[in-house]
Amino acid sequence: DAMVIQNPRYQVTQFGKPVTLSCSQTLNHNVMYWYQQKSSQAPKLLFHYYDKDFNNEADTPDNFQSRRPNTSFCFLDIRSPGLGDAAMYLCATSRDSPTSLGDNEQFFGPGTRLTVL
Amino acid sequence: AQSVSQHNHHVILSEAASLELGCNYSYGGTVNLFWYVQYPGQHLQLLLKYFSGDPLVKGIKGFEAEFIKSKFSFNLRKPSVQWSDTAEYFCAVDSGGYQKVTFGIGTKLQVIP
């Protein structure tokens, strides 16, 4: 089945120790997103890739970076995790749309829960 | 900037009760509207969506939602809930331009058998 896969499902890191979360998709979608979701809060978009074009949200801290080496994979790098970065990180994809308001239903992975000690 | 408000953060219903979850958004232009559901231990998945046409949208598992443009609302309804509907429900709005979507805070629905 076509899907969005996130590894690992649970990640524990130490304060200040760099960590990388990975996402892969078999849907061949052009758009990939990274969201941060803290307890009892809405998923918050960090950034997304439209093909190779990187789009950073204005309020995403510099501590968060992303890489997309090919269509299938996208990585979230947290350079120096702080206690406040503990959260669920969600990866999602959507189809390329020829119009600005096309069918951009998002398909989500199961998420990676990050704990910072 | 667009925003999404979900007024009910935690709803508890008995089986067979009717459900309505409120969702209001702030953007005044053309929008796409979504309801996503997250069942316990599972990932977010689409419940239903509105792009254009009939403002009453039917989704999976007997859910429907009505887009009322004048009220900036997209409320989710189900006439008779089941225990298996226990989940968290998120309303989301997309106002176009690089497929950017804003999510609401979510509503946790607990259905008691």
Side-chain angles (χ1 to χ4, degrees), chain A residues 31 33 35 37 40-43 45 48 50 55 57 90 94 97 99-106 108-110, chain B residues 30-32 34 36 38 41 43-46 49 51 88 90 94-101 103-105 108:
Chain A
V31 190
Y33 309 78
Y35 289 87
Q37 186 181 20
S40 300
Q41 295 186 22
L45 183 65
H48 72 277
Y50 185 85
N55 299 274
E57 292 302 298
L90 302 173
S94 67
S97 172
T99 64
S100 60
L101 274 179
D103 184 351
N104 47 17
E105 168 191 351
Q106 294 189 22
F108 285 85
Chain B
T30 304
V31 292
N32 292 338
F34 306 84
Y36 286 87
Q38 187 167 26
H43 58 274
L44 274 165
Q45 56 188 289
L46 185 72
K49 61 187 177 185
F51 292 143
E88 190 159 14
F90 292 89
D94 167 33
S95 58
Y98 280 106
Q99 294 92 15
K100 179 177 174 177
V101 176
F103 282 82
I105 197 171
K108 290 183 179 177

Side-chain angles (χ1 to χ4, degrees), chain B residues 5-109:
Chain B
S5 298
Q6 292 184 243
H7 313 297
N8 318 104
H9 294 167
H10 198 176
V11 174
I12 302 174
L13 294 173
S14 298
E15 274 193 317
S18 65
L19 170 73
E20 181 160 3
L21 301 182
C23 173
N24 288 90
Y25 62 94
S26 64
Y27 187 73
T30 304
V31 292
N32 292 338
L33 300 159
F34 306 84
W35 276 97
Y36 286 87
V37 61
Q38 187 167 26
Y39 297 103
Q42 298 188 24
H43 58 274
L44 274 165
Q45 56 188 289
L46 185 72
L47 196 58
L48 49 76
K49 61 187 177 185
Y50 171 82
F51 292 143
S52 62
D54 188 345
L56 185 61
V57 180
K58 305 276 187 194
I60 59 172
K61 303 187 179 184
F63 285 90
E64 64 179 30
E66 185 174 13
F67 169 48
I68 303 179
K69 189 174 181 179
S70 61
K71 295 185 178 180
F72 299 92
S73 70
F74 190 55
N75 291 355
L76 181 70
R77 299 194 292 249
K78 185 170 183 179
S80 177
V81 294
Q82 300 172 318
W83 176 78
S84 58
D85 294 325
T86 295
E88 190 159 14
Y89 294 81
F90 292 89
C91 181
V93 175
D94 167 33
S95 58
Y98 280 106
Q99 294 92 15
K100 179 177 174 177
V101 176
T102 301
F103 282 82
I105 197 171
T107 297
K108 290 183 179 177
L109 171 65

Side-chain angles (χ1 to χ4, degrees), chain A residues 52-116:
Chain A
K52 294 184 178 181
D53 293 333
F54 178 68
N55 299 274
N56 197 32
E57 292 302 298
D59 57 354
T60 298
D62 292 340
N63 197 27
F64 292 86
Q65 304 285 321
S66 185
R67 296 170 282 135
R68 189 179 185 187
N70 53 53
T71 300
S72 300
F73 285 88
C74 194
F75 299 98
L76 170 61
D77 300 309
I78 309 177
R79 292 192 297 188
S80 181
L83 299 179
D85 296 328
M88 177 73 84
Y89 289 88
L90 302 173
C91 176
T93 72
S94 67
R95 271 195 301 270
D96 189 7
S97 172
T99 64
S100 60
L101 274 179
D103 184 351
N104 47 17
E105 168 191 351
Q106 294 189 22
F107 294 79
F108 285 85
T112 295
R113 183 166 296 283
L114 177 69
T115 300
V116 182

Side-chain angles (χ1 to χ4, degrees), chain A residues 1-34:
Chain A
D1 288 341
M3 56 198 306
V4 181
I5 303 162
Q6 290 188 245
N7 286 305
R9 294 292 305 277
Y10 300 90
Q11 176 72 58
V12 180
T13 190
Q14 292 178 331
F15 183 94
K17 185 175 180 181
V19 66
T20 295
L21 309 182
S22 74
C23 176
S24 63
Q25 55 131 340
T26 60
L27 297 159
N28 204 32
H29 284 172
N30 285 0
V31 190
M32 294 187 77
Y33 309 78
W34 278 105

